[in-house]
């Protein structure tokens, strides 16, 4: 008895439906990844702000207030603004308030209080001390809003492209352990690329293609 085998493969409609179904599942997951990237970036900013504030505090404790302007200028060149204000004094001691913020960031300003010997310094800042509204992030400029919108759109485009490409990889290679490992590697690689500031879709597509061992189809070459 002759056994007939269906070697037709998948039709274009089946491929598109498979990709669409995979995209529905993958896009929310990539949304979580994008939020993780944003959180990680904010965490790095806060860590840097804390380091700067601690450096300034150590100089205040050591009585090296004459170095503060130089230190503040140095960090301003790196994109951070620091403010120092000598507040209440009791006897030979004073309370100093150190504030540090990343230029153009919407994260709350990092504030550190230091008790140290009283000095002649009253304040040290590259400008006017920020208001409470600015500290809470309420003073965001329109440029900040535009920047965040652009970043959000970029993440959405990358997430959509990635979901479609991963769906294409599954359809092309079939669902097995090797494909699963490749998909996880691609997703992890793309997240790391975004964390490192690489948002070029061509660069991401090229890397994803190398990992998958599959050429990017013409309809996914969005660059």
């Amino acid at each position: 008895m002759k056994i007939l085998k269906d070697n037709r493969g998948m039709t274009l409609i089946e491929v598109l439906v498979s990709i669409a179904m995979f995209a529905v599942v993958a896009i929310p997951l990539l949304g979580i990844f994008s939020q993780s990237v944003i959180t990680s970036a904010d965490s790095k900013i806060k860590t840097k702000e804390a380091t700067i504030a601690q450096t300034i505090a150590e100089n205040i404790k050591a009585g090296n207030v004459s170095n503060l302007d130089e230190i503040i200028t140095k960090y301003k060149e790196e994109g951070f603004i620091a403010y120092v204000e000598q507040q209440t004094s009791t006897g030979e001691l004073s309370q100093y308030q150190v504030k540090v913020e990343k230029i153009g960031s919407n994260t709350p300003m990092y504030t550190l209080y230091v008790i140290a010997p009283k000095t002649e310094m009253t304040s040290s800042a590259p400008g006017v001390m920020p208001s409470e509204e600015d500290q809470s992030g309420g003073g965001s400029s329109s440029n900040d809003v535009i920047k965040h919108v652009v970043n959000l759109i970029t993440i959405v485009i990358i997430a959509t492209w990635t979901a479609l490409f991963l769906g294409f990889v599954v359809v092309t290679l079939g669902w097995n352990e090797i494909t699963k490992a490749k998909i996880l590697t691609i997703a992890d690689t793309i997240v790391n690329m975004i964390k490192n500031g690489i948002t070029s879709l061509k660069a991401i597509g090229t890397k994803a293609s190398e990992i998958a061992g599959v050429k990017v189809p013409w309809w996914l070459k969005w660059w």
Side-chain angles (χ1 to χ4, degrees), residues 157-218:
I157 292 174
I158 293 174
T160 303
W161 182 92
T162 303
L164 293 173
F165 180 73
L166 293 181
F168 175 75
V169 170
V170 171
V171 171
T172 303
L173 302 180
W175 183 251
N176 51 55
E177 290 302 318
I178 295 177
T179 303
K180 182 179 178 181
K182 287 183 177 182
I183 285 177
L184 292 176
T185 302
I186 291 171
D188 186 59
T189 300
I190 291 176
V191 169
N192 286 328
M193 290 178 74
I194 296 174
K195 285 182 178 179
N196 292 324
I198 302 174
T199 55
S200 166
L201 202 55
K202 184 175 182 179
I204 290 174
T206 300
K207 191 65 179 178
S209 176
E210 290 176 359
I211 296 172
V214 174
K215 289 185 178 181
V216 178
W218 63 268

Side-chain angles (χ1 to χ4, degrees), residues 26-134:
I27 288 177
L29 293 177
L30 288 171
I32 296 174
F33 290 152
S34 66
Q35 184 59 45
S36 174
V37 171
I38 295 172
T39 302
S40 176
D42 288 345
S43 177
K44 288 181 180 179
I45 290 175
K46 299 310 295 181
T47 299
K48 181 66 175 179
E49 289 175 347
T51 300
I52 295 172
Q54 192 61 44
T55 299
I56 294 174
E58 292 300 326
N59 276 268
I60 293 174
K61 290 179 180 179
N64 299 327
V65 293
S66 60
N67 298 335
L68 291 184
D69 287 338
E70 181 180 344
I71 294 173
I72 290 173
T73 300
K74 171 191 172 184
Y75 286 117
K76 185 177 181 181
E77 293 173 354
E78 296 180 13
F80 291 85
I81 297 180
Y83 307 84
V84 181
E85 182 180 17
Q86 184 174 219
Q87 298 182 320
T88 57
S89 298
T90 304
E92 297 298 320
L93 298 177
S94 289
Q95 175 176 279
Y96 297 82
Q97 184 185 58
V98 182
K99 300 178 181 179
V100 183
E101 66 175 341
K102 170 70 173 175
I103 298 175
S105 172
N106 283 331
T107 58
M109 180 176 292
Y110 185 88
T111 303
L112 177 66
Y113 292 94
V114 184
I115 301 297
K118 184 166 55 177
T119 65
E120 296 298 323
M121 181 198 76
T122 55
S123 66
S124 181
V128 181
M129 289 290 288
S131 64
E132 292 300 322
E133 181 183 11
D134 293 331

